[in-house]
Amino acid sequence: MTSHTAPSTSFSTTEPFTTKLSTTDVEPLLKMMETLRDPQTGCPWDKAQTFQTIVPFTLEEAYEVADTIERLAWDELPDELGDLLFQIVFYCQLGKEQGKFDFATVIEKISDKLTRRHPHVFGDKNLQIGDSAQTMKANWEAIKVLEREQKALQTVGKTQVDALVSALDNIPRSQPALSRAIKIQQRVARVGFDWAELEPVVAKIHEEIDEVLHEVNQPEQNQEKVQSEMGDLLFAVVNLARHLKVDPEQALRQANLKFERRFRGVEQLASDSGKSMQEHTLMELDTYWDQVKATEPR
C-alpha cells in the first residue's frame, strides 16, 4: 500500500518516552486524508478506494505491527503503528463522505465502551469485582454478553421474546480461521459446551484423523469431503491448543519460523556440498535437517 506516514523516529527503550499530545494534534492527519481524497486535487489511488478495497491493507498493516513486536523492533513500531492508524483515518474519511460516521464518532464509541466495561474504574469506585486479571476478564465477558443481548433487541425487536441471542453472535467471519475457531470454542465453553478432561479432546483428534483417511482412501476421492474432514481435524487440534492454554495462531507462527530457520540451514549445507538441492536425495536432505536440528539449543 502507498505509505503516507512520516519516517520512523528512533528512541531509547531504556528511558521513559513521553510527548505532549492534545486532541487537536490529530486534525492535521485528518485534513491530510481529506486532501488525499479531494475529488479535484487528490491522489488517484486514494480516491479510488472503498471500504472493501482497503480491508486487505488493514489486515496487512495489523500483521506488520505484530511482526514488529515479535522481532522486538521498537524503533520500527511507531512507524508501523502509524500505518495502522492511517487505516482508521481512511475508514473515517470514507464514513464522513457518506454521512455515516467520522473520526469523532469512533473516539466517542471507544470511549463509551471503555467506560462501560470498566465500571470499577470509571463508575462506582466501591464496586467489588476482584483484583485479578482473570476476574476482570470474567467481568468483561459478562458485560459483553449483556451488550450482545441489547444489540439483538435493537436489531430484532423490542422484547426479549423477539430476540434469539446466541453465544456466537458478533464473531467476525473475516477473522483469521484459527483465531475465529478458538473464539468460537471459548464462547461455547462459557455456556457449558466443553469437555472437562483432556482425554476426550485428544480422542476427538484421533477420530477426525480416521475420518480424513477414510475419505482419502475411497476408490473415487471426493475433494470436498476431504476438505470438510480436514477442517474438522484442524478445529479439533485448535480445541486441544485451547485446553492446553496455547494460542494456536502464535504456536503456528513459531512453528513457521522454526521450519524456515531449519530449512535455510539445509539449503546452506546443500550449497556447501557443491550440489543443488534438486541433486540431493530426500534421505540426504533429511540428514542435513537432522544436523541443523542437532545444533539448536534444547
Side-chain angles (χ1 to χ4, degrees):
M1 176 178 179
T2 304
S3 175
H4 298 292
T5 54
S8 172
T9 302
S10 300
F11 59 87
S12 172
T13 58
T14 59
E15 297 179 3
F17 181 83
T18 59
T19 183
K20 293 181 179 179
L21 179 68
S22 70
T23 55
T24 58
D25 288 332
V26 75
E27 290 298 332
L29 180 58
L30 299 178
K31 185 63 178 177
M32 187 179 297
M33 184 70 255
E34 186 177 322
T35 302
L36 288 168
R37 291 273 301 176
D38 186 279
Q40 280 74 45
T41 61
C43 169
W45 188 91
D46 291 278
K47 290 191 295 181
Q49 303 313 304
T50 66
F51 282 107
Q52 291 76 15
T53 62
I54 62 175
V55 167
F57 300 111
T58 306
L59 296 174
E60 179 182 340
E61 298 300 354
Y63 282 126
E64 289 183 3
V65 167
D67 177 70
T68 303
I69 293 173
E70 287 184 354
R71 292 186 290 107
L72 306 180
W74 308 122
D75 286 352
E76 299 176 24
L77 188 55
D79 188 49
E80 297 299 343
L81 288 172
D83 289 341
L84 187 57
L85 174 60
F86 179 74
Q87 301 297 304
I88 298 172
V89 170
F90 209 135
Y91 288 120
C92 290
Q93 177 61 30
L94 292 173
K96 181 180 178 181
E97 292 171 2
Q98 298 177 26
K100 300 179 184 297
F101 64 91
D102 59 9
F103 192 78
T105 312
V106 173
I107 298 300
E108 179 183 7
K109 292 291 185 181
I110 187 59
S111 298
D112 289 346
K113 183 182 293 184
L114 290 173
T115 300
R116 188 171 61 250
R117 293 185 179 178
H118 295 80
H120 56 293
V121 177
F122 302 111
D124 185 359
K125 299 296 183 181
N126 297 318
L127 184 63
Q128 300 295 321
I129 60 172
D131 56 1
S132 70
Q134 185 174 0
T135 303
M136 295 298 165
K137 182 174 176 60
N139 187 63
W140 290 335
E141 293 302 333
I143 293 173
K144 285 191 279 188
V145 168
L146 180 59
E147 290 174 352
R148 288 197 293 272
E149 292 176 349
Q150 292 174 339
K151 184 174 182 179
L153 289 173
Q154 294 171 357
T155 303
V156 180
K158 298 299 182 182
T159 67
Q160 187 67 40
V161 176
D162 297 325
L164 176 61
V165 181
S166 171
L168 300 179
D169 284 346
N170 301 325
I171 301 178
R173 293 188 177 184
S174 59
Q175 187 173 351
L178 280 179
S179 299
R180 191 166 191 267
I182 201 165
K183 176 68 74 173
I184 289 172
Q185 293 169 4
Q186 288 171 339
R187 289 278 189 89
V188 300
R190 292 191 191 107
V191 295
F193 195 75
D194 194 18
W195 283 301
E197 306 295 333
L198 196 62
E199 183 178 352
V201 177
V202 176
K204 187 64 176 176
I205 293 177
H206 291 296
E207 175 188 326
E208 297 299 348
I209 291 175
D210 290 340
E211 292 183 5
V212 169
L213 295 179
H214 173 75
E215 291 300 334
V216 169
N217 292 323
Q218 292 300 306
E220 294 185 11
Q221 192 178 113
N222 185 319
Q223 190 60 29
E224 287 187 5
K225 289 185 177 180
V226 172
Q227 178 168 308
S228 177
E229 296 300 343
M230 274 300 307
D232 292 342
L233 173 57
L234 290 171
F235 192 84
V237 172
V238 169
N239 199 33
L240 175 60
R242 181 179 63 85
H243 275 264
L244 297 177
K245 294 181 171 54
V246 171
D247 180 347
E249 197 84 40
Q250 178 71 12
L252 187 55
R253 280 200 298 270
Q254 291 174 344
N256 289 341
L257 291 172
K258 183 194 299 181
F259 182 90
E260 181 181 3
R261 182 178 66 249
R262 289 177 179 176
F263 187 77
R264 289 179 185 275
V266 169
E267 289 178 315
Q268 185 61 57
L269 290 175
S271 176
D272 292 343
S273 74
K275 296 193 300 181
S276 68
M277 290 282 291
Q278 292 80 0
E279 292 174 309
H280 286 78
T281 65
L282 180 57
M283 184 176 296
E284 290 173 329
L285 295 177
D286 278 339
T287 300
Y288 289 157
W289 180 274
D290 291 338
Q291 291 176 17
V292 172
K293 186 176 178 181
T295 63
E296 298 179 345
R298 295 185 180 274

